[in-house]
Amino acid sequence: MAVAQFNLAEHQRAERKLLLTVAEWTEGSTQERELLGRRTEDSSVEYNADQSTTTDILGINYTDVNKTQPQQDFDPYLILGGSKLGAKLDDIRRRNALSELSQFTLYLITAYVGDATNGYRAEKHVNCTIQYNSLGGDANVNMPISVYFSNDLTNGHVDKLTPDFVFTPD
């Protein structure tokens, strides 16, 4: 399989807005999606690798990566009008229905690979957890969240960069 090329000019930096995290869940019989990161200034996917390093009898170090546990923090995650995810998380918090926090699908879309004609590279992670960390703030109500990717993923692409995208497995 060939490695996909970035859709950037030579030496151009990929802007942060080209790495998108989208949460998806079902509300009744309706599928809902929300782009994460509105009003969040800095957020990165952290892979949190489980690694072990050994040194052989010759003094050479070897490192094995056993697994990754990807997560992404959104702080602040402000309570904003129109945020269906914010309303869902607040309802889960109010009812203390913690098991519902692990019923999300997450899409990690790398929009710097692909184009509007052929689609954009994406990963679909199922059975993910979105956890609220606190509630409050000074002038505005904030509910920082942590997103835990399941690693139960399917590689593929999305046809467009709007909430009504269609994900197609590779």
Side-chain angles (χ1 to χ4, degrees):
M1 174 191 298
V3 174
Q5 294 296 312
F6 297 142
N7 58 11
L8 304 167
E10 189 169 345
H11 304 295
Q12 177 186 6
R13 295 176 62 184
E15 296 178 64
R16 178 58 184 85
K17 66 183 180 182
L18 297 177
L19 179 62
L20 309 172
T21 303
V22 177
E24 178 181 87
W25 67 98
T26 302
E27 200 66 47
S29 61
T30 305
Q31 179 182 347
E32 302 287 352
R33 285 186 180 150
E34 187 167 311
L35 175 65
L36 300 179
R38 186 169 305 282
R39 309 282 303 260
T40 302
E41 295 174 13
D42 182 20
S43 182
S44 300
V45 177
E46 299 168 6
Y47 288 95
N48 304 315
D50 176 26
Q51 59 193 31
S52 60
T53 302
T54 57
T55 304
D56 69 12
I57 61 173
L58 301 175
I60 299 171
N61 294 327
Y62 296 92
T63 301
D64 293 318
V65 178
N66 301 314
K67 64 180 177 178
T68 61
Q69 298 172 325
Q71 92 175 63
Q72 189 172 9
D73 295 324
F74 294 90
D75 187 3
Y77 181 80
L78 298 174
I79 299 297
L80 297 171
S83 171
K84 292 180 181 179
L85 178 62
K88 177 160 185 72
L89 291 174
D90 189 59
D91 180 62
I92 290 171
R93 179 200 58 79
R94 184 183 59 77
R95 295 181 295 110
N96 199 29
L98 301 179
S99 65
E100 294 179 23
L101 294 173
S102 298
Q103 299 176 359
F104 293 92
T105 296
L106 294 171
Y107 295 89
L108 186 59
I109 302 169
T110 50
Y112 51 86
V113 179
D115 56 44
T117 302
N118 301 305
Y120 301 92
R121 189 168 61 186
E123 300 170 10
K124 178 182 180 180
H125 294 253
V126 297
N127 301 317
C128 299
T129 300
I130 300 179
Q131 174 184 309
Y132 51 85
N133 299 320
S134 63
L135 181 66
D138 50 10
N140 301 298
V141 178
N142 183 19
M143 185 191 320
I145 61 173
S146 295
V147 171
Y148 298 92
F149 294 84
S150 66
N151 275 340
D152 182 357
L153 70 94
T154 302
N155 287 309
H157 63 279
V158 296
D159 60 337
K160 53 189 166 187
L161 300 176
T162 57
D164 60 339
F165 64 78
V166 173
F167 176 82
T168 304
D170 285 346

